[in-house]
């Protein structure tokens, strides 16, 4: 039985709520921002493939407390999908990870934990058999971003190009454009294969239990 639903966290994209129940730790309810993630089916298929693969590896390795180490989304009763929609809004529910806290402090200790967690995440997904889809096409395509910057500079819609500070920043960016676009070129040439990664530019939140694990 649901006791309470209340806002959770401070995310900027999806609307997130904690669902408090009269049994167990409860659930996390999210309204998926389909203005950003336009293909929700692809998004959830990616999540199911990734969490399923990680769960299988944890179980095979004999890990304890698997429920605290990988997300689990709740499928619908009438079809197995892990999201619900009325055609306008999209919602999903996952199990709340018990006794977790969010650390947003940036310091060497927590940076180490974040790096270690991301490294383990990458290692577990190195042999995932599924072909994952690109949730926001070309979002991190630096060649595209460089072209867009060039077009914005030529248009100078806000009249900023007269600023010496802007000119200095632009010159610094232009010096690095070739290096910034190297990954796209190497992938196109077949030298650099695509890898699964979390390409968010902000510091990601980490979950810890009361003992700091």
């Amino acid at each position: 039985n649901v006791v309470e639903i209340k806002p959770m966290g401070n995310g900027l994209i999806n609307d997130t709520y904690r669902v408090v129940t009269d049994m167990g730790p409860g659930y996390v309810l999210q309204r998926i921002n389909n203005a950003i993630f336009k293909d929700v089916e692809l998004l959830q298929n990616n999540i199911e493939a990734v969490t399923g693969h990680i769960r299988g590896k944890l179980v095979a390795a004999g890990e304890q407390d698997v429920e605290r180490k990988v997300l689990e989304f709740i499928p619908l009763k009438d079809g197995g999908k892990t999201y619900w929609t009325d055609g306008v809004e999209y919602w999903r529910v996952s199990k709340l990870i018990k006794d977790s806290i969010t650390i947003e402090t940036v310091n060497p200790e927590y940076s180490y934990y974040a790096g270690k967690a991301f490294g383990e995440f990458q290692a577990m997904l190195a042999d995932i058999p599924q072909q994952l889809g690109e949730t926001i096409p070309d979002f991190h395509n630096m060649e595209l971003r460089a072209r867009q910057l060039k077009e914005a500079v030529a248009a100078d819609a806000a009249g900023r190009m007269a600023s010496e500070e802007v000119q200095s920043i632009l010159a610094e960016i232009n010096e690095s454009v070739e290096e910034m676009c190297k990954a796209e070129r190497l992938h196109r040439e077949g030298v650099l294969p695509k890898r699964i990664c979390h390409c968010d530019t902000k510091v990601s939140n980490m979950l810890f239990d009361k003992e700091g694990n």
Side-chain angles (χ1 to χ4, degrees), residues 71-108:
L71 288 174
E72 182 177 355
F73 285 85
I74 309 300
L76 302 180
K77 292 181 179 180
D78 58 356
K81 291 184 181 296
T82 53
Y83 68 91
W84 176 89
T85 180
D86 60 2
V88 178
E89 294 188 335
Y90 292 78
W91 296 83
R92 64 188 177 194
V93 175
S94 61
K95 292 184 178 180
L96 181 71
I97 298 177
K98 184 181 178 182
D99 295 331
S100 59
I101 59 173
T102 301
I103 302 295
E104 298 186 50
T105 302
V106 179
N107 61 30

Side-chain angles (χ1 to χ4, degrees), residues 5-211:
I5 299 177
K6 55 186 178 181
M8 179 180 181
N10 56 3
L12 301 177
I13 297 177
N14 301 314
D15 296 327
T16 306
Y17 305 89
R18 178 172 180 173
V19 180
V20 181
T21 66
D22 59 2
M23 292 180 62
Y27 301 91
V28 175
L29 170 68
Q30 279 191 319
R31 185 185 69 83
I32 303 169
N33 187 339
N34 58 307
I36 301 296
F37 300 108
K38 298 182 184 299
D39 191 340
V40 176
E41 178 81 8
L42 182 147
L43 173 71
Q44 288 303 110
N45 285 343
N46 280 356
I47 289 175
E48 291 166 35
V50 167
T51 54
H53 186 72
I54 290 176
R55 181 177 296 275
K57 286 217 159 184
L58 293 173
V59 171
E63 289 280 353
Q64 301 297 311
D65 211 6
V66 172
E67 298 302 317
R68 290 183 50 76
K69 298 178 180 180
V70 61
L71 288 174
E72 182 177 355
F73 285 85
I74 309 300
L76 302 180
K77 292 181 179 180
D78 58 356
K81 291 184 181 296
T82 53
Y83 68 91
W84 176 89
T85 180
D86 60 2
V88 178
E89 294 188 335
Y90 292 78
W91 296 83
R92 64 188 177 194
V93 175
S94 61
K95 292 184 178 180
L96 181 71
I97 298 177
K98 184 181 178 182
D99 295 331
S100 59
I101 59 173
T102 301
I103 302 295
E104 298 186 50
T105 302
V106 179
N107 61 30
E109 180 185 9
Y110 293 138
S111 296
Y112 168 79
Y113 292 148
K116 185 172 183 291
F118 276 118
E120 291 172 352
F121 176 80
Q122 296 292 128
M124 283 193 288
L125 294 178
D127 60 349
I128 187 171
Q130 294 93 334
Q131 178 67 46
L132 302 184
E134 198 170 356
T135 52
I136 306 178
D138 286 323
F139 189 74
H140 293 282
N141 184 335
M142 292 307 298
E143 291 179 334
L144 171 64
R145 299 307 186 193
R147 290 196 300 271
Q148 289 175 328
L149 176 61
K150 186 176 181 180
E151 292 167 0
V153 168
D156 194 18
R160 296 180 179 139
M161 294 312 301
S163 164
E164 290 186 6
E165 182 182 8
V166 171
Q167 290 283 357
S168 175
I169 294 171
L170 184 62
E172 185 177 353
I173 292 173
N174 285 333
E175 289 178 1
S176 305
V177 163
E178 185 175 349
E179 186 70 20
M180 289 159 56
C181 296
K182 182 184 289 186
E184 292 292 336
R185 177 175 58 79
L186 292 177
H187 172 66
R188 192 167 52 250
E189 294 171 355
V191 177
L192 183 67
K194 284 201 173 183
R195 292 286 185 260
I196 299 168
C197 60
H198 187 290
C199 294
D200 209 331
T201 54
K202 65 181 179 295
V203 176
S204 295
N205 295 341
M206 300 297 296
L207 291 174
F208 298 92
D209 62 22
K210 293 176 179 178
E211 285 71 44

